[in-house]
């Protein structure tokens, strides 16, 4: 029983981190109609920036600066490249971001080298805590709490601020937003920067429990895509539910089943609901 609970809690923790990654992915896909294959490499840059900064400025400041830097990277990518393909076939955006991801992955190898790196959790959240029914990692609990806090902050931004209302309106009807006199290009830049920053902060908080490697972005890209498709493209709560489904399903079935179960579940869900659990018409139906 204790082992099952341990797997279940691990699945929830992993699912919350995946949900943070998928939120950025689905915001960009929903508002800009771009399948951002560079999202995974932005996650990797968050971890690498944190690796370089942590030893000099400490955990909290490194977390903030690393996430900010990845957000700036996202803004630059959108301004210099992505905005040129908004009116073109969605395949252009996919190929463009795939090329950007490959180029940035090679840049990581040039700057930080091919071997992997590791960082340790700060002292105040190292070790284990007695939960009554089992001992559990303090850092993983911190990971779950911080991920949940990020999800709440993104929800508050989207639901309670004027910028959030414009972003949601842009996801539904971009022409209507422009007709209302809103600066749609600025909204898209904001969304891409926000989505990139979410990928970056996920990379930072996941760094102490994963090896930091150039290919780590590739490994999170496909789970993020599966989560968004399962939850429904453009759906905030769909990303959260999809993230938890992915995290729990991969934790409860260790071994080789870990790689199979999420895709099996995705197939079943799409056969039942082709737009995902909470999705609406999207770019995939064009």
């Amino acid at each position: 029983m204790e082992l099952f609970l341990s797997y279940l809690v691990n699945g929830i923790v992993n699912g919350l981190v995946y949900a943070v990654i998928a939120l950025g992915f689905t915001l960009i896909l929903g508002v800009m109609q771009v399948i951002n294959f560079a999202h995974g490499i932005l996650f990797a840059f968050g971890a690498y920036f944190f690796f370089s900064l942590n030893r000099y400025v400490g955990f909290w400041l490194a977390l903030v600066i690393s996430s900010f830097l990845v957000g700036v990277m996202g803004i630059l990518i959108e301004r210099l490249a992505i905005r040129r393909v908004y009116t073109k076939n969605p395949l252009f955006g996919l190929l463009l971001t795939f090329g950007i991801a490959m180029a940035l992955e090679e840049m990581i190898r040039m700057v930080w080298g091919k071997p992997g790196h590791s960082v340790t959790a700060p002292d105040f959240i190292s070790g284990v805590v007695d939960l009554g029914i089992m001992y559990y990692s303090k850092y993983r609990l911190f990971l779950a709490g911080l991920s949940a806090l990020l999800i709440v902050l993104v929800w508050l931004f989207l639901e309670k601020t004027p910028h959030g209302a414009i972003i949601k309106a842009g996801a539904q009807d971009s022409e209507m937003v422009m007709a209302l006199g809103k600066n749609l290009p600025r909204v898209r830049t904001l969304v891409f920067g926000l989505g990139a920053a979410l990928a970056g902060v996920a990379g930072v908080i996941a760094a102490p429990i994963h090896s930091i490697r150039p290919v780590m972005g590739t490994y999170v890209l496909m789970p993020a895509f599966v989560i968004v498709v399962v939850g429904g493209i453009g759906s905030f709560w769909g990303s959260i539910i999809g993230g938890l489904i992915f995290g729990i399903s991969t934790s409860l079935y260790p071994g080789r089943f870990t790689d199979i179960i999420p895709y099996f579940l995705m197939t079943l869900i799409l056969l039942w609901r082709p737009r995902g659990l909470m999705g609406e018409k999207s770019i995939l139906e064009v």
Side-chain angles (χ1 to χ4, degrees):
M1 187 61 181
E2 183 176 327
L3 187 61
F4 171 78
L5 288 175
S6 175
Y7 285 147
L8 180 62
V9 175
N10 269 339
I12 294 172
V13 172
N14 292 337
L16 288 170
V17 177
Y18 279 126
V20 172
I21 303 170
L23 267 182
F25 193 91
T26 200
L27 275 175
I28 293 170
L29 185 52
V31 174
M32 305 160 75
Q33 303 289 291
V34 172
I35 302 174
N36 180 25
F37 264 41
H39 200 68
I41 201 66
L42 294 170
F43 168 87
F45 264 93
Y48 272 98
F49 284 147
F50 178 73
F51 167 72
S52 296
L53 292 168
N54 183 44
R55 71 191 77 172
Y56 300 111
V57 300
F59 178 82
W60 290 108
L61 198 53
L63 187 154
V64 173
I65 296 175
S66 301
S67 306
F68 174 77
L69 289 176
V70 177
V72 172
M73 280 184 66
I75 289 173
L76 291 175
I77 290 172
E78 194 277 337
R79 293 204 130 190
L80 296 176
I82 304 296
R83 63 172 46 183
R84 301 174 189 278
V85 299
Y86 285 144
T87 58
K88 295 182 169 50
N89 188 305
L91 187 60
F92 284 100
L94 189 152
L95 294 174
L96 176 63
T97 54
F98 178 76
I100 291 171
M102 293 298 100
L104 291 177
E105 186 176 307
E106 195 57 34
M107 184 182 294
I108 285 178
R109 291 191 178 91
M110 292 169 62
V111 175
W112 284 281
K114 294 181 181 178
H117 303 283
S118 62
V119 294
T120 56
D123 292 339
F124 72 97
I125 43 178
S126 295
V128 296
V129 60
D130 185 1
L131 297 180
I133 52 175
M134 63 179 178
Y135 289 93
Y136 197 71
S137 163
K138 289 182 182 176
Y139 187 76
R140 283 187 172 273
L141 289 178
F142 167 79
L143 199 61
L146 189 57
S147 298
L149 176 63
L150 286 170
I151 290 169
V152 170
L153 290 176
V154 173
W155 180 82
L156 288 173
F157 173 73
L158 292 175
E159 297 294 331
K160 305 296 181 183
T161 68
H163 287 94
I166 296 171
I167 289 172
K168 289 194 300 179
Q172 298 296 322
D173 190 340
S174 58
E175 292 183 358
M176 181 268 290
V177 171
M178 294 186 70
L180 291 175
K182 304 300 180 184
N183 190 333
L184 187 61
R186 185 178 298 173
V187 172
R188 285 169 168 164
T189 302
L190 172 68
V191 169
F192 207 96
L194 176 62
L198 285 172
V201 73
V204 170
I205 60 179
I209 61 173
H210 292 285
S211 174
I212 302 174
R213 297 176 294 163
V215 295
M216 65 186 297
T218 304
Y219 291 148
V220 302
L221 179 63
M222 192 51 67
F225 187 73
V226 169
I227 290 166
V228 169
V229 171
V230 167
I233 291 174
S235 170
F236 178 90
W237 293 112
S239 295
I240 310 303
I241 294 170
L244 290 174
I245 289 174
F246 191 96
I248 293 172
S249 64
T250 53
S251 295
L252 290 181
Y253 295 93
R256 297 184 65 84
F257 285 107
T258 299
D259 298 327
I260 300 172
I261 291 296
Y263 302 101
F264 180 67
L265 288 174
M266 181 179 73
T267 303
L268 290 179
I269 290 172
L270 290 183
L271 286 173
W272 172 47
R273 294 180 65 87
R275 292 178 178 174
L277 293 174
M278 304 181 72
E280 299 178 355
K281 186 176 180 181
S282 69
I283 185 177
L284 299 183
E285 298 174 54
V286 174

